Amino acid sequence: MRSICLGVRLPETLHELLTVDIEGWKKEVAGVKESWTKFGDRIPAELTAKLTEITEALNK
C-alpha cells in the first residue's frame, strides 16, 4: 500500500487511515469498467471522464 501522508511522521492509527490501497482500487475501477460495458455508449461522458481521472491518479 502507498501512503498519501507525503513523508510526514504520523501516529500509526492516523497513518493507517490515510493509507490508500492502490491495487485494491485498481481492481475496483476494473470492475466498474467491466460492469459499464453492458451500457455501451449510454454512460454519461462525465462519468467516463471521472473514471479515467481516477485511473490516471492510481497509476502515478
Side-chain angles (χ1 to χ4, degrees):
M1 281 192 246
R2 193 165 49 187
S3 174
I4 61 170
C5 61
L6 304 174
V8 176
R9 295 197 69 121
L10 299 172
E12 186 61 32
T13 304
L14 186 56
H15 175 75
E16 192 65 31
L17 289 171
L18 296 176
T19 299
V20 176
D21 180 2
I22 300 294
E23 295 307 313
W25 275 105
K26 286 180 179 180
K27 289 177 185 174
E28 289 293 327
V29 168
V32 169
K33 286 180 182 179
E34 182 179 332
S35 71
W36 285 2
T37 60
K38 63 184 169 191
F39 298 106
D41 61 355
R42 296 183 310 233
I43 297 289
E46 294 85 354
L47 288 178
T48 56
K50 183 52 80 173
L51 196 60
T52 299
E53 180 183 325
I54 293 168
T55 301
E56 289 171 356
L58 291 171
N59 289 322
K60 286 186 178 180

